[in-house]
Amino acid sequence: MTGREEAGPAEPGGFRTYLRRRGRQTRGQARALRELADRYLLDPTAAADLDLARSFGRKAPLGLEIGFGMGQALVAWAQQRPEWNLLGVEVYQPGIGSAMLRLENAGSSNVRLLEAPAEWVLTHLVEPASLDEVRIFFPDPWPKKRHHKRRLVQPALARQVAERLRPGGLLWVATDWEDYAHWIIEVLDAEPGLAPRQPVRVETEPDAVTADAGAGARRAADRPLTRFEARGLRLGHRVWDLRYERKR
């Protein structure tokens, strides 16, 4: 989950984010933004000339994490799937710096990052039926009813994701807010291009076995514990893992 709280300026293509873009950076994050951007960070202003396969230097299954926060889950995914190309989208600059540091330390070369809204990336950079998996872990729940319009998971985003997943491709959303979980289920159930991957609507405890379609893996191997999830668990929140796939 990304740093957040205030509405940001309009982004490329007129999209608006409601997350903090900038915040206090550590020295390491600032160094990463200076020195590692050429290695990991794509330029959204060059969208017309940006070819994802060329950016990775290979053709491979493509995964997308929307709102990767500080990068823990994204880097773990890169290590679990070195044969995949992974694209991370985030608007919080300290998080981008943190993710680049983690990638450097892990020696992962199969990840590229973009500082841009997810809707813009899906519209301008991702081809239809080109994604094998999309992950959205612990997006801001915007719990107040008057702020629900700011939630990331909306019908328009669900439609975009469905169009850009390959048939059978996976959308995986995790949240520790029950109200948001029900909202997400309602939105995704209403999207005609998506269907629940059974079993879905899984509530997990910190050490629970992931119940997705025979995965049989504990959380540490399947989805690393991020600091936002850990905070929710300390507050007594349950965690909902919601998995949908693009209809074949």
Side-chain angles (χ1 to χ4, degrees), residues 4-232:
R4 54 206 188 246
E5 308 228 348
E6 298 179 358
E11 304 293 342
F15 295 104
R16 182 175 296 278
T17 62
Y18 293 93
L19 311 176
R20 285 186 297 123
R21 293 182 64 86
R22 293 172 176 81
R24 182 174 297 176
Q25 299 172 1
T26 67
R27 290 182 180 179
Q29 291 166 352
R31 179 189 70 80
L33 289 166
R34 289 193 312 270
E35 300 177 6
L36 301 179
D38 288 345
R39 187 187 311 177
Y40 297 113
L41 193 61
L42 302 181
D43 182 3
T45 65
D49 300 316
L50 190 57
D51 179 273
L52 288 179
R54 187 169 65 244
S55 299
F56 285 100
R58 65 179 184 177
K59 289 186 177 181
L62 181 61
L64 169 67
E65 183 172 352
I66 296 173
F68 57 76
M70 306 306 280
Q72 299 102 314
L74 180 60
V75 175
W77 192 11
Q79 293 176 305
Q80 292 163 3
R81 293 284 191 177
E83 74 280 12
W84 282 36
N85 294 337
L86 300 180
L87 183 64
V89 175
E90 180 57 81
V91 297
Y92 185 52
Q93 286 189 347
I96 294 170
S98 177
M100 288 194 287
L101 286 175
R102 294 176 188 275
L103 289 167
E104 181 186 42
N105 291 336
S108 297
S109 60
N110 60 328
V111 177
R112 299 294 181 269
L113 309 177
L114 268 165
E115 182 184 350
E119 299 90 341
W120 185 88
V121 171
L122 289 167
T123 299
H124 295 284
L125 296 183
V126 179
E127 296 291 332
S130 65
L131 290 168
D132 289 83
E133 186 170 337
V134 176
R135 296 182 173 186
I136 306 173
F137 290 165
F138 303 95
D140 193 314
W142 292 105
K144 294 181 181 178
K145 188 171 183 180
R146 69 178 184 271
H147 292 155
H148 285 183
K149 65 183 179 181
R150 300 181 177 185
R151 287 175 165 175
L152 174 64
V153 179
Q154 302 283 353
L157 182 76
R159 183 169 58 253
Q160 281 187 301
V161 170
E163 290 172 351
R164 282 152 181 80
L165 280 171
R166 64 166 177 76
L170 175 68
L171 169 62
W172 182 3
V173 187
T175 181
D176 65 325
W177 283 78
E178 184 171 356
D179 173 70
Y180 199 8
H182 290 294
W183 168 287
I184 293 166
I185 291 167
E186 182 177 350
V187 168
L188 299 185
D189 279 354
E191 169 49 50
L194 297 172
R197 177 174 288 187
Q198 298 297 335
V200 77
R201 305 173 196 183
V202 179
E203 294 178 89
T204 57
E205 299 295 349
D207 295 322
V209 173
T210 301
D212 175 37
R218 289 190 175 274
R219 175 192 305 277
D222 196 39
R223 177 172 54 72
L225 188 72
T226 69
R227 66 189 183 95
F228 290 102
E229 181 179 5
R231 182 178 66 182

